[in-house]
Amino acid sequence: MRIPVFVIILLVALLSLTFPTFLPGATFIVTKTTDDNGPCSVADCALREAILAANALPGADTVAISPGTYALTLAGPGEDLGLSGDLDIRDDLEVSGDPLDPPTIVGDGLDRVLHINSSAVGLSALTLTGGGGNGPGGGIFAFAS
């Protein structure tokens, strides 16, 4: 028995809805050392903006950081959306610096530097300093729910 073409097309369409295609994650390249929480664009992207953009996308993404010092200057410890204080990583993410000249991320001393709430986060070629605060973690607090 031959299956009509329209039935095959319908089955493929239904399967594609059931098993979505997984696209490779986005790569965000940090282009400035200032601490901002606006949109991340190709020509204007702070470290915090890159992490916020990666958090907004499903699946694993990458943030690439050039050599330099990245001071976290937006005061406001205690919130968990990454808009101020520490950098809140809420989705799978790879954060990497230049292994020959690792960037330095400097906390404001009022909060930790990184707050990780994801099960798959990779950090490479980075220096973290200046973390603090009253809660757990100084440089990094990791908690995967």
Side-chain angles (χ1 to χ4, degrees), residues 11-21:
L11 286 173
V12 169
L14 288 173
L15 285 174
S16 69
L17 292 174
T18 306
F19 301 102
T21 304

Side-chain angles (χ1 to χ4, degrees), residues 3 5 18 30 42 54 56 60 62 70 78 87 97 104-105 110 115 126 133 139:
I3 299 174
V5 172
T18 306
V30 177
V42 173
T62 301
Y70 299 82
L87 299 171
T104 300
I105 304 171
L110 300 174
H115 181 184
L126 302 171

Side-chain angles (χ1 to χ4, degrees), residues 10-106:
L10 181 61
L11 286 173
V12 169
L14 288 173
L15 285 174
S16 69
L17 292 174
T18 306
F19 301 102
T21 304
F22 292 97
L23 300 174
T27 297
F28 299 93
I29 299 173
V30 177
T31 60
K32 62 184 181 181
T33 59
T34 56
D35 191 16
D36 294 318
N37 62 11
C40 176
S41 69
V42 173
D44 184 23
C45 188
L47 175 58
R48 183 180 305 275
E49 292 169 335
I51 290 174
L52 289 171
N55 285 342
L57 295 176
D61 298 304
T62 301
V63 171
I65 309 172
S66 299
T69 300
Y70 299 82
L72 304 180
T73 59
L74 297 179
E79 61 87 29
D80 289 330
L81 298 177
L83 299 174
S84 63
D86 58 10
L87 299 171
D88 295 301
I89 300 174
R90 302 169 56 84
D91 198 10
D92 297 348
L93 185 63
E94 176 69 32
V95 182
S96 59
D98 182 341
L100 299 177
D101 190 5
T104 300
I105 304 171
V106 181

